[in-house]
PDB file of all heavy atoms in Angstrom:
ATOM      1  N   GLN D 200     -19.255  26.216  19.043  1.00  0.00           N
ATOM      2  CA  GLN D 200     -20.529  25.604  18.928  1.00  0.00           C
ATOM      3  C   GLN D 200     -20.876  24.718  20.147  1.00  0.00           C
ATOM      4  O   GLN D 200     -22.000  24.796  20.676  1.00  0.00           O
ATOM      5  CB  GLN D 200     -20.556  24.600  17.661  1.00  0.00           C
ATOM      6  CG  GLN D 200     -20.384  25.303  16.356  1.00  0.00           C
ATOM      7  CD  GLN D 200     -20.354  24.379  15.284  1.00  0.00           C
ATOM      8  OE1 GLN D 200     -21.353  23.703  14.844  1.00  0.00           O
ATOM      9  NE2 GLN D 200     -19.224  24.128  14.596  1.00  0.00           N
ATOM     10  N   LEU D 201     -19.895  24.048  20.618  1.00  0.00           N
ATOM     11  CA  LEU D 201     -20.075  23.159  21.859  1.00  0.00           C
ATOM     12  C   LEU D 201     -20.276  24.057  23.091  1.00  0.00           C
ATOM     13  O   LEU D 201     -21.133  23.619  24.021  1.00  0.00           O
ATOM     14  CB  LEU D 201     -18.899  22.189  22.008  1.00  0.00           C
ATOM     15  CG  LEU D 201     -18.768  21.153  20.893  1.00  0.00           C
ATOM     16  CD1 LEU D 201     -17.455  20.394  20.996  1.00  0.00           C
ATOM     17  CD2 LEU D 201     -19.929  20.170  20.937  1.00  0.00           C
ATOM     18  N   ARG D 204     -23.686  25.414  22.915  1.00  0.00           N
ATOM     19  CA  ARG D 204     -24.660  24.301  23.197  1.00  0.00           C
ATOM     20  C   ARG D 204     -24.792  23.920  24.753  1.00  0.00           C
ATOM     21  O   ARG D 204     -25.763  23.492  25.257  1.00  0.00           O
ATOM     22  CB  ARG D 204     -24.297  23.049  22.364  1.00  0.00           C
ATOM     23  CG  ARG D 204     -25.310  21.941  22.493  1.00  0.00           C
ATOM     24  CD  ARG D 204     -24.963  20.767  21.559  1.00  0.00           C
ATOM     25  NE  ARG D 204     -25.970  19.700  21.655  1.00  0.00           N
ATOM     26  CZ  ARG D 204     -26.087  18.842  22.641  1.00  0.00           C
ATOM     27  NH1 ARG D 204     -25.008  18.837  23.600  1.00  0.00           N
ATOM     28  NH2 ARG D 204     -26.991  17.890  22.676  1.00  0.00           N
ATOM     29  N   ALA D 297     -23.305  11.921  16.605  1.00  0.00           N
ATOM     30  CA  ALA D 297     -24.688  12.130  16.788  1.00  0.00           C
ATOM     31  C   ALA D 297     -25.125  13.633  16.705  1.00  0.00           C
ATOM     32  O   ALA D 297     -26.147  14.013  16.065  1.00  0.00           O
ATOM     33  CB  ALA D 297     -25.195  11.574  18.139  1.00  0.00           C
ATOM     34  N   LEU D 298     -24.305  14.503  17.205  1.00  0.00           N
ATOM     35  CA  LEU D 298     -24.580  15.966  17.161  1.00  0.00           C
ATOM     36  C   LEU D 298     -24.480  16.400  15.586  1.00  0.00           C
ATOM     37  O   LEU D 298     -25.239  17.227  15.224  1.00  0.00           O
ATOM     38  CB  LEU D 298     -23.563  16.723  17.985  1.00  0.00           C
ATOM     39  CG  LEU D 298     -23.680  16.624  19.486  1.00  0.00           C
ATOM     40  CD1 LEU D 298     -22.593  17.410  20.235  1.00  0.00           C
ATOM     41  CD2 LEU D 298     -25.066  16.911  19.941  1.00  0.00           C
ATOM     42  N   VAL D 299     -23.434  15.811  14.890  1.00  0.00           N
ATOM     43  CA  VAL D 299     -23.339  16.173  13.535  1.00  0.00           C
ATOM     44  C   VAL D 299     -24.630  15.751  12.766  1.00  0.00           C
ATOM     45  O   VAL D 299     -25.241  16.544  11.971  1.00  0.00           O
ATOM     46  CB  VAL D 299     -22.073  15.497  12.938  1.00  0.00           C
ATOM     47  CG1 VAL D 299     -22.032  15.715  11.402  1.00  0.00           C
ATOM     48  CG2 VAL D 299     -20.815  16.091  13.489  1.00  0.00           C
ATOM     49  N   ASP D 300     -25.083  14.578  13.028  1.00  0.00           N
ATOM     50  CA  ASP D 300     -26.285  14.074  12.324  1.00  0.00           C
ATOM     51  C   ASP D 300     -27.476  14.802  12.720  1.00  0.00           C
ATOM     52  O   ASP D 300     -28.576  14.824  11.900  1.00  0.00           O
ATOM     53  CB  ASP D 300     -26.340  12.490  12.461  1.00  0.00           C
ATOM     54  CG  ASP D 300     -25.432  11.692  11.616  1.00  0.00           C
ATOM     55  OD1 ASP D 300     -24.964  12.298  10.551  1.00  0.00           O
ATOM     56  OD2 ASP D 300     -25.087  10.568  11.878  1.00  0.00           O
ATOM     57  N   ALA D 301     -27.479  15.336  13.908  1.00  0.00           N
ATOM     58  CA  ALA D 301     -28.765  16.050  14.349  1.00  0.00           C
ATOM     59  C   ALA D 301     -28.667  17.417  13.973  1.00  0.00           C
ATOM     60  O   ALA D 301     -29.675  18.249  14.157  1.00  0.00           O
ATOM     61  CB  ALA D 301     -28.762  15.997  15.868  1.00  0.00           C
ATOM     62  N   GLY D 302     -27.588  17.936  13.216  1.00  0.00           N
ATOM     63  CA  GLY D 302     -27.488  19.276  12.778  1.00  0.00           C
ATOM     64  C   GLY D 302     -27.176  20.207  13.813  1.00  0.00           C
ATOM     65  O   GLY D 302     -27.255  21.485  13.587  1.00  0.00           O
ATOM     66  N   GLU D 303     -26.568  19.805  14.865  1.00  0.00           N
ATOM     67  CA  GLU D 303     -26.161  20.531  16.051  1.00  0.00           C
ATOM     68  C   GLU D 303     -24.581  20.872  16.043  1.00  0.00           C
ATOM     69  O   GLU D 303     -24.135  21.562  16.875  1.00  0.00           O
ATOM     70  CB  GLU D 303     -26.537  19.979  17.373  1.00  0.00           C
ATOM     71  CG  GLU D 303     -28.124  19.823  17.499  1.00  0.00           C
ATOM     72  CD  GLU D 303     -28.419  19.223  18.793  1.00  0.00           C
ATOM     73  OE1 GLU D 303     -27.771  19.454  19.804  1.00  0.00           O
ATOM     74  OE2 GLU D 303     -29.431  18.491  18.922  1.00  0.00           O
ATOM     75  N   LEU D 304     -23.913  20.282  15.071  1.00  0.00           N
ATOM     76  CA  LEU D 304     -22.502  20.500  15.028  1.00  0.00           C
ATOM     77  C   LEU D 304     -22.097  20.481  13.571  1.00  0.00           C
ATOM     78  O   LEU D 304     -22.300  19.548  12.838  1.00  0.00           O
ATOM     79  CB  LEU D 304     -21.707  19.367  15.799  1.00  0.00           C
ATOM     80  CG  LEU D 304     -20.187  19.608  16.119  1.00  0.00           C
ATOM     81  CD1 LEU D 304     -20.088  20.846  16.965  1.00  0.00           C
ATOM     82  CD2 LEU D 304     -19.537  18.366  16.664  1.00  0.00           C
ATOM     83  N   THR D 305     -21.495  21.683  13.189  1.00  0.00           N
ATOM     84  CA  THR D 305     -21.136  21.839  11.745  1.00  0.00           C
ATOM     85  C   THR D 305     -19.701  21.545  11.514  1.00  0.00           C
ATOM     86  O   THR D 305     -18.822  22.141  12.362  1.00  0.00           O
ATOM     87  CB  THR D 305     -21.520  23.332  11.347  1.00  0.00           C
ATOM     88  OG1 THR D 305     -22.887  23.514  11.479  1.00  0.00           O
ATOM     89  CG2 THR D 305     -20.974  23.494   9.903  1.00  0.00           C
TER      90      THR D 305
END
Side-chain angles (χ1 to χ4, degrees):
Q200 295 178 70
L201 292 168
R204 187 176 181 278
L298 293 179
V299 172
D300 281 340
E303 297 181 33
L304 192 63
T305 299

